[in-house]
Amino acid sequence: KINLISKDYLQNLIRNLEKEYSSNYVEKYFYNIRSVFNYGVDNDYILINPMNKVKLAVNKDEVRKEMLFWEPNEFDRFIQAVDDEEMKTFYIFLYYMGTRKGETLALQWKDIDFKNDVVRIYKSVTTKIKGSPYAITSPKTKNSIRNIPMFKIVKDNLLAWKEVHKKMYGFSEDCFVFGFYRPMAYDKPRKYMIKVIDIINNGKPADHQIKKIRIHDFRHSHASWLINNMGKYNFSDYDIAKRLGDTVQMLHSTYAHQFKDAGRIIVDSIENDSEDSKTTLQQAENKSQGKYSDLIELKQ
C-alpha cells in the first residue's frame, strides 16, 4: 500500500543502493521514486511525499572525483594513443577550448571562423527530449553564449578534419563538425576514451597509469590549466570565466581549492621577491662598507 510506505523504509532503501552502486545510478532511483510519490500527492492518493525527508549520502570521495583532471603531460599521453582522426580532433578541441560536450557536438562548420580564429558557441545538443534521439537547444546559461579564440593546435586539427569532410558527398557549412548530417552519437566520446585509456594502462603499474576521467573533466582540465598559468601570463579569472561561459563567482566556487593555492603562490612569490631584494641590498651595503673599511685601513 502506497500510504504505508514510510520515510524510514525509503531511507533504508536508498542507503542499501548506495552500498552497491555509484552516486549517479542511485540518484536516478532517488528522483524517479520521488516523482512517483509527487504524483500520488497531486492526485490525492497520499497527503505528503515521504521522499521529501529522505537524503542522499554526501560521499567525500565522489566530491573529489568530481574534480579529476589531466595535466598536460597526461593529455599528451592520451592523445598520442588516439588513432581516429575525428576523435583526436574532438578531444583536442575539448581540452584546449574548455567547452561542454553538448556545445561541442552542436558545432557546425559555419560556427568556426578560421579567418579570425574564433569559435561561436550559441547552441547545445541534448538527448533528454522525449521521442527524439537528439535535439539542438540553447546553451546552459546566458553566459554560455560566447566567442572563444582558438589555439593554433585546435585550428590546425580542425582545418585538417574539414578537408576530410569536404571530400564527403553532401558537404556544406551546415554539416556538424563532429558527425556530419547529424551530431556524433552522444555516448561515443566516453566509450572511445575508456577504450584508449585501458590500452594505455594495460600492464602498467598504478603510478604509471593515467587517470580515468569523465568527458566533462576535459573542461575541468582546461580550467585548471588556465588557473595554474594565471600568474605566468597576463590574464585574469574574469578572462577564464568568460572563456568557459561561467561567472567569476561560479569559477571560484567550482575551483576554490585551486584559487586558494594560487593565492598562496602570489603571496609567496612577492615575499620571496622582497626577501631577494633585501638580500641584494644587504650585499650591496656590505660591499660598500667593505670598500670603506679598506680606505680607512689604507689611510691608517
Side-chain angles (χ1 to χ4, degrees):
K1 299 287 185 180
I2 191 172
N3 63 322
L4 298 180
I5 298 176
S6 68
K7 167 183 72 75
D8 293 334
Y9 174 85
L10 292 167
Q11 185 68 77
N12 287 334
L13 171 68
I14 294 300
R15 286 289 176 264
N16 288 331
L17 287 172
E18 286 170 335
K19 292 175 184 176
E20 294 187 49
Y21 304 106
S22 71
S23 60
N24 287 337
Y25 191 74
V26 176
E27 280 179 11
K28 291 177 182 178
Y29 275 97
F30 180 88
Y31 292 112
N32 276 299
I33 293 171
R34 193 168 72 175
S35 295
V36 171
F37 280 102
N38 278 335
Y39 179 86
V41 172
D42 292 342
N43 289 274
D44 298 325
Y45 297 125
I46 52 177
L47 294 176
I48 59 171
N49 184 344
M51 281 296 289
N52 287 341
K53 294 186 177 180
V54 175
K55 305 295 182 185
L56 287 165
V58 178
N59 189 324
K60 293 181 180 179
D61 291 331
E62 286 293 326
V63 173
R64 281 195 293 269
K65 184 179 179 182
E66 181 76 15
M67 290 307 300
L68 282 178
F69 60 90
W70 277 342
E71 298 286 355
N73 64 312
E74 291 178 290
F75 175 72
D76 287 342
R77 285 180 62 195
F78 168 77
I79 207 67
Q80 287 171 17
V82 177
D83 55 11
D84 181 287
E85 191 170 355
E86 181 179 30
M87 298 312 301
K88 187 170 189 173
T89 306
F90 181 84
Y91 296 129
I92 286 173
F93 191 94
L94 286 185
Y95 191 84
Y96 286 101
M97 299 295 280
T99 49
R100 301 174 179 92
K101 182 170 74 169
E103 294 171 341
T104 311
L105 292 176
L107 282 175
Q108 295 165 281
W109 287 113
K110 64 184 180 182
D111 303 326
I112 301 174
D113 182 352
F114 287 108
K115 184 179 179 181
N116 296 303
D117 298 342
V118 168
V119 177
R120 173 75 169 153
I121 302 293
Y122 60 96
K123 57 187 183 293
S124 184
V125 167
T126 181
T127 58
K128 296 180 180 180
I129 304 298
K130 191 173 181 180
S132 176
Y134 77 93
I136 304 297
T137 66
S138 57
K140 188 176 180 181
T141 65
K142 182 181 176 181
N143 290 321
S144 298
I145 299 174
R146 61 205 189 275
N147 291 327
I148 310 178
M150 287 187 284
F151 284 98
K152 186 176 183 300
I153 186 173
V154 175
K155 180 180 179 179
D156 290 347
N157 277 270
L158 284 174
L159 283 171
W161 180 236
K162 189 173 185 179
E163 289 304 312
V164 175
H165 261 201
K166 283 181 176 179
K167 296 173 184 176
M168 298 172 66
Y169 177 77
F171 172 80
S172 76
E173 291 293 313
D174 287 327
C175 287
F176 290 96
V177 176
F178 303 107
F180 196 70
Y181 293 122
R182 57 177 287 171
M184 179 192 294
Y186 201 76
D187 208 33
K188 182 178 178 180
R190 181 186 65 83
K191 290 179 178 178
Y192 189 91
M193 179 185 68
I194 291 172
K195 184 179 75 171
V196 172
I197 293 174
D198 286 341
I199 292 171
I200 294 171
N201 290 343
N202 185 35
K204 291 185 176 66
D207 58 343
H208 282 76
Q209 295 185 1
I210 61 172
K211 298 185 291 288
K212 278 190 177 180
I213 65 173
R214 306 165 309 163
I215 291 298
H216 191 71
D217 291 324
F218 277 84
R219 182 171 164 84
H220 291 321
S221 300
H222 181 73
S224 300
W225 179 53
L226 293 179
I227 291 168
N228 289 331
N229 280 284
M230 277 177 60
K232 188 176 179 181
Y233 303 104
N234 188 28
F235 59 86
S236 67
D237 51 358
Y238 173 79
D239 298 316
I240 297 173
K242 189 175 179 182
R243 185 175 178 86
L244 292 172
D246 280 334
T247 62
V248 174
Q249 183 180 5
M250 179 63 72
L251 184 74
H252 279 265
S253 173
T254 307
Y255 304 97
H257 63 293
Q258 286 176 296
F259 276 105
K260 182 180 178 182
D261 293 341
R264 184 72 258 163
I265 291 169
I266 290 170
V267 172
D268 289 343
S269 299
I270 292 173
E271 287 186 345
N272 288 338
D273 194 40
S274 297
E275 289 298 323
D276 290 341
S277 298
K278 287 179 183 178
T279 302
T280 304
L281 182 61
Q282 186 64 48
Q283 288 173 344
E285 288 177 353
N286 291 341
K287 190 174 180 181
S288 177
Q289 288 174 359
K291 288 181 180 179
Y292 186 66
S293 299
D294 291 342
L295 288 174
I296 292 174
E297 186 177 349
L298 182 61
K299 183 179 179 181
Q300 291 173 341

